Amino acid sequence: MTTTLLDLDGPDHAVLTGASALNRKQAEQAVRQLLQALGVPADTEVGRNTPRRMTDALAQLLTPRSWTFTTFPNDEGHHDLVLTRDIAFTSLCAHHLLPFSGRAHVGFYPREKLPGLSKIARTVEMFAARLQVQENLGQQIAGFLEEQLACDGVGVVLVAEHLCMTRRGVRAAGADTLTVAARGRLQQDPTARIEFLQLAVQSGRTA
Ligand SMILES: Nc1nc2c(ncn2[C@@H]2O[C@H](COP(=O)(O)OP(=O)(O)OP(=O)(O)O)[C@@H](O)[C@H]2O)c(=O)[nH]1
Ligand SMILES: [Zn+2]
Protein backbone atom coordinates (compact mmCIF):
# COMPACT_ATOMS: atom_id res chain seq x y z
CA MET A 1 0.00 0.00 0.00
CA THR A 2 1.30 3.45 -0.87
CA THR A 3 0.16 6.48 1.04
CA THR A 4 0.91 9.89 -0.33
CA LEU A 5 0.28 12.86 1.87
CA LEU A 6 -1.10 15.65 -0.23
CA ASP A 7 1.23 18.58 -0.39
CA LEU A 8 -1.02 20.86 1.58
CA ASP A 9 1.71 23.45 1.82
CA GLY A 10 2.14 23.53 -1.92
CA PRO A 11 0.95 26.28 -4.21
CA ASP A 12 -2.58 24.86 -4.45
CA HIS A 13 -3.06 25.13 -0.72
CA ALA A 14 -3.26 28.90 -0.75
CA VAL A 15 -6.17 28.67 -3.13
CA LEU A 16 -7.84 25.76 -1.39
CA THR A 17 -7.82 27.23 2.06
CA GLY A 18 -8.88 30.78 1.47
CA ALA A 19 -10.67 30.54 4.82
CA SER A 20 -7.52 29.53 6.69
CA ALA A 21 -6.49 33.15 6.49
CA LEU A 22 -9.82 33.98 8.09
CA ASN A 23 -9.97 37.30 9.84
CA ARG A 24 -13.08 36.60 11.87
CA LYS A 25 -13.52 40.07 13.30
CA GLN A 26 -13.24 41.69 9.89
CA ALA A 27 -15.57 39.13 8.30
CA GLU A 28 -18.27 39.56 10.96
CA GLN A 29 -18.01 43.34 10.69
CA ALA A 30 -18.37 43.10 6.91
CA VAL A 31 -21.51 40.96 7.25
CA ARG A 32 -22.96 43.47 9.69
CA GLN A 33 -22.23 46.26 7.22
CA LEU A 34 -23.65 44.30 4.32
CA LEU A 35 -26.92 43.65 6.12
CA GLN A 36 -27.09 47.29 7.09
CA ALA A 37 -26.42 48.43 3.53
CA LEU A 38 -29.16 46.08 2.32
CA GLY A 39 -31.56 47.64 4.78
CA VAL A 40 -31.99 44.38 6.64
CA PRO A 41 -32.54 44.81 10.38
CA ALA A 42 -29.89 42.54 11.91
CA ASP A 43 -30.02 43.63 15.53
CA THR A 44 -32.92 41.38 16.43
CA GLU A 45 -32.98 38.49 18.86
CA VAL A 46 -32.82 36.06 15.95
CA GLY A 47 -30.31 38.02 13.87
CA ARG A 48 -27.85 39.09 16.54
CA ASN A 49 -25.52 36.15 15.87
CA THR A 50 -26.03 36.14 12.12
CA PRO A 51 -22.66 37.75 11.28
CA ARG A 52 -20.90 35.02 13.27
CA ARG A 53 -23.04 32.27 11.76
CA MET A 54 -22.62 33.53 8.21
CA THR A 55 -18.86 33.82 8.70
CA ASP A 56 -18.73 30.25 10.02
CA ALA A 57 -20.90 28.97 7.20
CA LEU A 58 -18.81 30.56 4.45
CA ALA A 59 -15.55 29.55 6.13
CA GLN A 60 -16.77 25.95 6.29
CA LEU A 61 -17.88 25.92 2.66
CA LEU A 62 -14.51 27.35 1.58
CA THR A 63 -12.24 25.14 3.69
CA PRO A 64 -11.43 21.62 2.49
CA ARG A 65 -10.65 18.99 5.10
CA SER A 66 -7.10 17.71 5.03
CA TRP A 67 -6.69 14.13 3.87
CA THR A 68 -4.29 11.63 2.42
CA PHE A 69 -4.41 10.18 -1.04
CA THR A 70 -4.03 6.44 -0.46
CA THR A 71 -3.28 4.19 -3.42
CA PHE A 72 -2.74 0.44 -3.81
CA PRO A 73 -0.65 -1.38 -6.41
CA ASN A 74 -2.82 -2.70 -9.21
CA ASP A 75 -1.45 -6.23 -8.70
CA GLU A 76 -4.20 -8.15 -10.44
CA GLY A 77 -4.11 -5.88 -13.47
CA HIS A 78 -7.55 -4.29 -13.43
CA HIS A 79 -7.39 -2.11 -16.52
CA ASP A 80 -11.11 -1.73 -17.10
CA LEU A 81 -13.31 1.15 -16.09
CA VAL A 82 -13.69 2.04 -12.41
CA LEU A 83 -16.61 4.42 -11.93
CA THR A 84 -17.81 5.96 -8.68
CA ARG A 85 -21.27 7.47 -9.06
CA ASP A 86 -23.55 9.80 -7.19
CA ILE A 87 -20.97 11.59 -5.07
CA ALA A 88 -22.98 14.42 -3.55
CA PHE A 89 -21.20 17.77 -3.53
CA THR A 90 -21.88 21.39 -2.66
CA SER A 91 -19.84 24.29 -3.93
CA LEU A 92 -20.18 28.07 -4.07
CA CYS A 93 -20.84 29.88 -7.32
CA ALA A 94 -17.96 32.29 -7.98
CA HIS A 95 -20.32 34.87 -9.42
CA HIS A 96 -23.01 35.12 -6.75
CA LEU A 97 -21.63 33.19 -3.76
CA LEU A 98 -24.77 31.08 -3.81
CA PRO A 99 -24.50 27.30 -3.51
CA PHE A 100 -24.57 25.00 -6.48
CA SER A 101 -24.92 21.37 -5.57
CA GLY A 102 -25.50 18.02 -7.12
CA ARG A 103 -23.79 14.76 -7.93
CA ALA A 104 -20.46 13.80 -9.40
CA HIS A 105 -19.76 10.62 -11.36
CA VAL A 106 -16.04 9.97 -11.65
CA GLY A 107 -14.46 7.21 -13.71
CA PHE A 108 -10.95 6.21 -14.72
CA TYR A 109 -8.96 3.47 -16.41
CA PRO A 110 -6.24 2.32 -13.98
CA ARG A 111 -2.67 1.62 -14.90
CA GLU A 112 -0.22 0.81 -12.07
CA LYS A 113 -2.16 2.29 -9.16
CA LEU A 114 -5.65 1.97 -7.69
CA PRO A 115 -6.85 4.74 -5.40
CA GLY A 116 -8.77 4.09 -2.22
CA LEU A 117 -12.31 4.69 -3.47
CA SER A 118 -13.13 7.25 -0.81
CA LYS A 119 -10.28 9.34 -2.23
CA ILE A 120 -12.33 9.94 -5.34
CA ALA A 121 -15.08 11.54 -3.23
CA ARG A 122 -12.47 13.43 -1.19
CA THR A 123 -11.04 14.85 -4.39
CA VAL A 124 -14.48 16.13 -5.38
CA GLU A 125 -14.95 17.67 -1.94
CA MET A 126 -11.51 19.28 -2.00
CA PHE A 127 -12.09 21.15 -5.25
CA ALA A 128 -15.70 21.99 -4.39
CA ALA A 129 -14.55 23.89 -1.29
CA ARG A 130 -13.73 27.10 -3.10
CA LEU A 131 -15.49 29.72 -5.20
CA GLN A 132 -16.18 27.76 -8.34
CA VAL A 133 -17.47 27.56 -11.88
CA GLN A 134 -18.89 24.12 -12.64
CA GLU A 135 -16.83 23.57 -15.78
CA ASN A 136 -13.62 24.39 -13.88
CA LEU A 137 -14.56 22.13 -10.99
CA GLY A 138 -14.85 19.15 -13.36
CA GLN A 139 -11.55 19.97 -15.08
CA GLN A 140 -9.72 20.36 -11.77
CA ILE A 141 -10.98 16.99 -10.48
CA ALA A 142 -10.05 15.27 -13.76
CA GLY A 143 -6.60 16.90 -13.92
CA PHE A 144 -5.76 16.09 -10.31
CA LEU A 145 -6.74 12.41 -10.61
CA GLU A 146 -4.94 12.01 -13.92
CA GLU A 147 -1.78 13.35 -12.32
CA GLN A 148 -2.05 11.43 -9.05
CA LEU A 149 -2.95 8.09 -10.62
CA ALA A 150 -0.96 8.34 -13.86
CA CYS A 151 -3.94 6.46 -15.32
CA ASP A 152 -5.09 5.91 -18.92
CA GLY A 153 -8.07 8.21 -18.75
CA VAL A 154 -10.33 10.10 -16.39
CA GLY A 155 -13.92 11.24 -16.85
CA VAL A 156 -15.91 13.52 -14.59
CA VAL A 157 -19.64 14.14 -15.04
CA LEU A 158 -21.17 16.77 -12.80
CA VAL A 159 -24.92 17.35 -12.57
CA ALA A 160 -25.82 20.34 -10.45
CA GLU A 161 -28.49 22.85 -9.58
CA HIS A 162 -27.25 26.43 -9.39
CA LEU A 163 -29.38 28.39 -6.95
CA CYS A 164 -28.30 31.60 -8.69
CA MET A 165 -30.13 30.37 -11.78
CA THR A 166 -33.05 28.46 -10.27
CA ARG A 167 -33.99 30.69 -7.30
CA ARG A 168 -33.00 34.17 -8.40
CA GLY A 169 -32.36 36.04 -11.65
CA VAL A 170 -34.05 34.03 -14.39
CA ARG A 171 -35.58 31.68 -11.74
CA ALA A 172 -35.40 28.62 -14.00
CA ALA A 173 -36.76 26.31 -11.32
CA GLY A 174 -35.88 22.67 -11.87
CA ALA A 175 -33.02 23.32 -14.31
CA ASP A 176 -29.84 21.40 -13.79
CA THR A 177 -26.52 21.61 -15.63
CA LEU A 178 -24.46 18.62 -16.74
CA THR A 179 -20.77 19.04 -17.58
CA VAL A 180 -18.27 16.49 -18.82
CA ALA A 181 -14.52 16.70 -18.27
CA ALA A 182 -12.62 13.92 -20.03
CA ARG A 183 -8.91 13.16 -20.22
CA GLY A 184 -6.80 10.62 -22.07
CA ARG A 185 -8.63 7.55 -23.32
CA LEU A 186 -11.99 8.92 -22.21
CA GLN A 187 -11.43 11.94 -24.40
CA GLN A 188 -9.90 10.20 -27.41
CA ASP A 189 -11.60 6.80 -27.66
CA PRO A 190 -15.27 7.21 -28.70
CA THR A 191 -16.23 3.69 -27.52
CA ALA A 192 -14.75 4.23 -24.07
CA ARG A 193 -16.33 7.64 -23.87
CA ILE A 194 -19.79 6.35 -24.77
CA GLU A 195 -19.56 3.47 -22.31
CA PHE A 196 -18.47 5.84 -19.55
CA LEU A 197 -21.17 8.42 -20.25
CA GLN A 198 -23.91 5.79 -20.50
CA LEU A 199 -22.94 4.18 -17.20
CA ALA A 200 -22.48 7.55 -15.52
CA VAL A 201 -25.88 8.94 -16.43
CA GLN A 202 -27.61 5.59 -15.89
CA SER A 203 -27.13 6.18 -12.20
CA GLY A 204 -30.80 7.09 -12.21
CA ARG A 205 -30.25 10.05 -9.93
CA THR A 206 -29.89 13.70 -10.75
CA ALA A 207 -29.16 16.76 -8.67
N1 LIG B 1 -20.72 28.72 -17.34
C1 LIG B 1 -21.09 28.90 -16.07
N2 LIG B 1 -21.83 29.98 -15.77
C2 LIG B 1 -22.20 30.12 -14.47
C3 LIG B 1 -21.88 29.22 -13.47
N3 LIG B 1 -22.41 29.66 -12.31
C4 LIG B 1 -23.06 30.80 -12.60
N4 LIG B 1 -22.94 31.10 -13.92
C5 LIG B 1 -23.47 32.20 -14.72
O1 LIG B 1 -22.66 33.35 -14.64
C6 LIG B 1 -23.37 34.38 -15.28
C7 LIG B 1 -23.03 35.71 -14.69
O2 LIG B 1 -23.67 36.64 -15.54
P1 LIG B 1 -23.92 38.18 -15.19
O3 LIG B 1 -24.78 38.74 -16.28
O4 LIG B 1 -22.62 38.84 -14.91
O5 LIG B 1 -24.71 38.09 -13.81
P2 LIG B 1 -26.24 38.36 -13.49
O6 LIG B 1 -26.61 39.75 -13.89
O7 LIG B 1 -26.49 38.00 -12.06
O8 LIG B 1 -26.97 37.35 -14.48
P3 LIG B 1 -28.36 36.57 -14.32
O9 LIG B 1 -28.07 35.32 -13.52
O10 LIG B 1 -28.77 36.27 -15.75
O11 LIG B 1 -29.33 37.47 -13.62
C8 LIG B 1 -24.84 33.99 -15.15
O12 LIG B 1 -25.32 33.73 -16.43
C9 LIG B 1 -24.80 32.71 -14.31
O13 LIG B 1 -25.85 31.81 -14.63
C10 LIG B 1 -21.09 28.10 -13.83
O14 LIG B 1 -20.71 27.25 -13.01
N5 LIG B 1 -20.73 27.97 -15.14
ZN1 LIG C 1 -24.06 32.18 -9.66
Side-chain angles (χ1 to χ4, degrees), residues 56-145:
D56 284 345
L58 286 173
Q60 186 180 343
L61 287 167
L62 292 170
T63 308
R65 291 180 285 184
S66 65
W67 59 295
T68 53
F69 195 95
T70 309
T71 61
F72 308 95
N74 187 9
D75 286 340
E76 308 274 329
H78 181 100
H79 297 297
D80 276 309
L81 180 66
V82 177
L83 171 59
T84 301
R85 302 188 297 185
D86 289 323
I87 302 164
F89 72 88
T90 298
S91 188
L92 276 183
C93 156
H95 307 98
H96 301 94
L97 264 71
L98 287 172
F100 68 95
S101 56
R103 298 189 173 270
H105 314 295
V106 181
F108 62 95
Y109 283 96
R111 218 183 274 165
E112 310 281 306
K113 289 194 244 182
L114 293 170
L117 286 180
S118 66
K119 309 308 175 184
I120 304 296
R122 285 193 182 277
T123 301
V124 173
E125 185 193 81
M126 176 174 76
F127 287 107
R130 57 170 82 172
L131 297 184
Q132 271 293 12
V133 171
Q134 184 173 329
E135 294 90 329
N136 297 349
L137 176 58
Q139 292 297 339
Q140 287 160 13
I141 295 165
F144 176 83
L145 289 174

Side-chain angles (χ1 to χ4, degrees), residues 106-109 138 141-147 149 151-156 181-187 196:
V106 181
F108 62 95
Y109 283 96
I141 295 165
F144 176 83
L145 289 174
E146 188 183 38
E147 195 182 304
L149 295 173
C151 55
D152 273 340
V154 180
V156 179
R183 302 286 170 108
R185 191 165 150 195
L186 279 165
Q187 188 177 40
F196 163 71

